[in-house]
Amino acid sequence: DRIPGRDINWLKGKTGLPISTYFSALKMRWLIENIPDVRQAIKENRALFGTIDSWLLWNLTENQEHLTDVTNASRTLLMDLETLNWDPALCDFFHVPMSVLAEIRPSSSFYGRFKLPPFKGISINGVIGDQNAALVGQHCLKLGQTKVTYGTGAFLMQNIGPGPLHGAL
């Protein structure tokens, strides 16, 4: 009801996404509003929210690294596509404290080291969301190259070069 005109695309200019329960922000908000233990953990600085990549990193580094990459962060409704950072206004809108969110890094970045055998000590130097990884994996490295994948969903992605969509040709 706080959305002007109840327009699901109200945040699309900032996030690239329609307002939908498909994305993490509304799930996080529901947990905060409906689970007293979650609210208490946030109050006591014991709560961390993230996506599957941040959960995997947290576990592979034995609770040392709470990180995510831009491709996964961009699917939460909490990241500004211009700054590639968590947006305070979006976090406030969804009532998600920024303190619980993983640090956003470029996809090709140092994410920590495996803490468990058999990979103990090996560095983790990249994280990328599945559809973005498919774009790279299908060698769509030039401006305008496009891929379509079918699986649990159907996804069309195009290499638009650096910057957000409204900067694309």
Side-chain angles (χ1 to χ4, degrees):
D1 289 335
R2 295 182 302 143
I3 301 166
R6 299 181 66 112
D7 180 6
I8 65 168
N9 293 314
W10 183 59
L11 297 175
K12 213 170 196 178
K14 187 173 272 205
T15 66
L17 304 171
I19 298 171
S20 169
T21 56
Y22 181 80
F23 305 110
S24 309
L26 287 164
K27 293 174 175 104
M28 291 178 206
R29 180 176 175 170
W30 187 92
L31 287 168
I32 293 166
E33 289 180 350
N34 293 283
I35 310 295
D37 288 346
V38 170
R39 284 193 306 277
Q40 188 64 31
I42 290 170
K43 190 176 185 179
E44 296 172 1
N45 292 320
R46 295 183 298 109
L48 298 175
F49 286 5
T51 53
I52 188 66
D53 64 307
S54 59
W55 182 84
L56 286 168
L57 285 166
W58 181 253
N59 285 281
L60 293 173
T61 63
E62 287 190 323
N63 310 339
Q64 297 295 305
E65 305 294 346
H66 185 48
L67 307 168
T68 190
D69 84 307
V70 294
T71 67
N72 286 293
S74 73
R75 305 298 288 167
T76 63
L77 278 170
L78 299 173
M79 189 191 88
D80 183 319
L81 290 178
E82 292 283 339
T83 66
L84 304 181
N85 290 310
W86 301 121
D87 185 271
L90 292 170
C91 289
D92 185 57
F93 179 79
F94 289 106
H95 303 163
V96 175
M98 291 178 68
S99 62
V100 301
L101 299 173
E103 176 188 329
I104 301 173
R105 292 194 175 167
S107 296
S108 179
S109 184
F110 177 72
Y111 283 88
R113 295 189 182 279
F114 284 93
K115 299 291 184 185
L116 304 170
F119 303 112
K120 187 174 182 169
I122 295 174
S123 64
I124 303 167
N125 295 306
V127 170
I128 190 168
D130 62 345
Q131 294 307 316
N132 301 82
L135 191 71
V136 173
Q138 293 178 8
H139 205 66
C140 296
L141 304 175
K142 294 180 183 168
L143 190 67
Q145 290 183 318
T146 306
K147 67 92 182 167
V148 176
T149 51
Y150 304 99
T152 55
F155 301 91
L156 169 83
M157 290 191 76
Q158 182 177 53
N159 183 338
I160 63 166
L165 179 63
H166 56 76
L169 299 173

